[in-house]
Amino acid sequence: MIVGFDAKRIVRNATGLGSYGRTLVNDLIRRNDPDMQYLLYAPDKGRDVLSNQINIGDTAQFRYPDASAIIRQPSFLWRSYGIVNDLLRDGVQLYHGLSGELPIGIRKKGIRTVVTIHDLIFLRHPEYYHWIDTKLYAWKFRKTLQEADRIIAISERTKQDIMELGNVSEERIRLIYQSCAPRFSSTFSEAEKQQVRSYYDLPERFVLNVGTIERRKNLLLAAKALELLPSDIHLVAVGRQTKYAQELPQNNRIHLLSGVPDTDLAIIYSLAEAFVYPSRYEGFGIPIIEAIAAGLPVVACTGSCLEEAGGPHCLYVDPDDVEGMAAAILSSLSDADGRTARIQASQQYIRRFRGTDVASQVLDVYRELL
């Protein structure tokens, strides 16, 4: 069975959709199924630090458009149209769009299709997007629904959004949660921790947040709650910054980091005292899984699917409740009662997101179609 993947995000995106693709593909490769071959199609080689994370070997290889193809059409057109000819040339039987998109016309060529849809925030909450982007994303979504044989939803919340906003029957959708990379549950030496702490000038005690610093992620709630916490507690936020970051209080207790490599990020998780994820709406919230795997208590917000990701033993507050957020963080610090028990129960809960189980479920979808 030859399976092709949309690998654009795998080679370009350090977090989010890129992490999903790299984790899933590596989990599939690790299964060592003798009847499987995986071809990863990207418009260019992207960033070596990301593409090198894929365990390329006998069962997996990258594929790029040849130079003449790129001269004839820009890379975004190749990804949406021209790639179909390359898939046919390489004998691909099934193509998996890992980031919510499929090439137009692929279904008519006899190639079976699977698409993973992570969220429909652009339809559910268009106020967080430029109106032109909302129109473009909505058009791509409709086109993808026309091409997809099966749709993978990464959460029950996303599944319900696809059914409601896309008018899709439940029979076409498979709910398969995403998993986090094994490195987040790794144990690091004191020397490794000290090196990372020193390099990023991290405080001794801090609450961690990971994700793009944008309005929807609602980091301002955690920043306001910080003022109600002991003065030695800091907030460290790791992620790409947008203009929204300028709305955060400017003080020495808030630390914003961007461009952090995955290996360093895992160590930063291990140095934190608690994890906070105040987002107003998510398709799933993989940083919550990463934090729990790293042994952290989690405080998140109600209103989307974060309870589904974190389980019943994390703490959840209204996305506008500053005092509630402060109280929940205070209940998650190192000397809080019940903290250890909540961490252990949460780690038991996220066993359902283990990579090999996710890979098995995805492979079942492939075999169902072929």
Side-chain angles (χ1 to χ4, degrees):
M1 187 189 302
I2 302 177
V3 176
F5 293 100
D6 175 7
K8 174 186 174 181
R9 310 288 184 181
I10 285 178
V11 302
R12 290 187 181 180
N13 290 43
T15 58
L17 300 180
S19 295
Y20 170 80
R22 288 186 295 274
T23 301
L24 174 59
V25 170
N26 278 331
D27 288 339
L28 288 167
I29 292 171
R30 275 192 288 268
R31 289 178 55 88
N32 290 318
D33 292 291
D35 60 337
M36 299 298 300
Q37 183 177 4
Y38 304 112
L39 301 179
L40 285 71
Y41 291 84
D44 51 54
K45 294 185 177 181
R47 299 164 56 186
D48 289 343
V49 69
L50 300 178
S51 59
N52 289 342
Q53 293 178 26
I54 300 296
N55 299 318
I56 295 299
D58 294 338
T59 59
Q61 298 175 6
F62 278 104
R63 289 284 192 271
Y64 310 103
D66 58 44
S68 60
I70 295 300
I71 291 174
R72 291 194 304 270
Q73 57 185 195
S75 61
F76 75 90
L77 288 178
W78 171 81
R79 183 167 171 256
S80 297
Y81 296 93
I83 189 176
V84 176
N85 290 329
D86 291 355
L87 300 177
L88 292 171
R89 175 200 64 201
D90 295 339
V92 170
Q93 299 158 277
L94 181 146
Y95 183 79
H96 188 165
L98 295 170
S99 55
E101 298 180 49
L102 288 170
I104 294 173
I106 186 173
R107 194 171 188 176
K108 290 183 179 179
K109 296 297 185 179
I111 299 173
R112 306 309 298 269
T113 55
V114 177
V115 63
T116 296
I117 294 181
H118 298 261
D119 63 67
L120 294 179
I121 301 173
F122 57 90
L123 292 178
R124 184 64 74 185
H125 288 286
E127 66 270 20
Y128 294 126
Y129 298 83
H130 191 286
W131 70 269
I132 293 178
D133 291 335
T134 301
K135 296 293 185 183
L136 176 61
Y137 298 155
W139 179 81
K140 287 184 176 182
F141 173 58
R142 305 297 175 189
K143 288 295 184 180
T144 292
L145 293 184
Q146 295 173 12
E147 301 290 349
D149 290 308
R150 290 291 182 273
I151 301 166
I152 292 176
I154 64 167
S155 69
E156 182 63 37
R157 176 67 271 164
T158 296
K159 176 183 174 183
Q160 294 301 320
D161 283 352
I162 294 169
M163 293 170 61
E164 176 187 346
L165 301 176
N167 194 28
V168 176
S169 65
E170 188 172 10
E171 290 72 22
R172 290 178 64 193
I173 306 172
R174 300 293 180 267
L175 172 59
I176 302 178
Y177 292 109
Q178 58 185 125
S179 61
C180 71
R183 62 179 172 275
F184 293 103
S185 55
S186 300
T187 300
F188 302 99
S189 69
E190 288 303 317
E192 290 174 309
K193 292 180 180 180
Q194 185 54 44
Q195 182 179 9
V196 167
R197 187 188 295 277
S198 176
Y199 182 82
Y200 294 101
D201 194 22
L202 298 174
E204 188 65 30
R205 301 185 70 189
F206 66 90
V207 176
L208 178 65
N209 170 265
V210 174
T212 303
I213 302 173
E214 60 182 333
R215 189 169 304 280
R216 174 175 58 86
K217 300 287 189 178
N218 196 29
L219 186 61
L220 184 57
L221 176 67
K224 290 180 178 179
L226 186 67
E227 299 174 4
L228 305 178
L229 298 175
S231 60
D232 63 335
I233 301 298
H234 293 236
L235 173 63
V236 173
V238 180
R240 180 177 60 84
Q241 299 179 33
T242 68
K243 290 182 179 180
Y244 173 74
Q246 300 173 7
E247 299 182 23
L248 301 176
Q250 303 297 311
N251 62 58
N252 60 5
R253 294 177 64 193
I254 298 177
H255 311 259
L256 306 182
L257 305 177
S258 300
V260 176
D262 288 344
T263 50
D264 288 356
L265 179 59
I267 297 176
I268 292 175
Y269 271 109
S270 73
L271 290 168
E273 196 162 329
F275 187 79
V276 61
Y277 204 65
S279 182
R280 293 183 179 276
Y281 205 89
E282 293 291 332
F284 183 59
I286 193 63
I288 289 179
I289 311 301
E290 296 170 352
I292 295 172
L296 294 179
V298 170
V299 178
C301 282
T302 58
S304 58
C305 65
L306 300 184
E307 297 100 326
E308 189 178 352
H313 304 285
C314 296
L315 302 179
Y316 305 95
V317 302
D318 184 273
D320 293 305
D321 186 356
V322 175
E323 293 185 357
M325 174 60 71
I329 293 175
L330 196 60
S331 298
S332 302
L333 299 180
S334 58
D335 54 352
D337 292 338
R339 177 181 186 271
T340 300
R342 291 200 303 273
I343 292 172
Q344 292 174 345
S346 295
Q347 289 182 324
Q348 183 67 27
Y349 175 83
I350 67 167
R351 289 169 63 92
R352 68 192 65 196
F353 307 130
R354 283 184 173 175
T356 51
D357 294 335
V358 173
S360 297
Q361 293 175 68
V362 171
L363 197 58
D364 286 342
V365 175
Y366 297 167
R367 286 178 171 148
E368 173 189 341
L369 290 175
L370 296 175

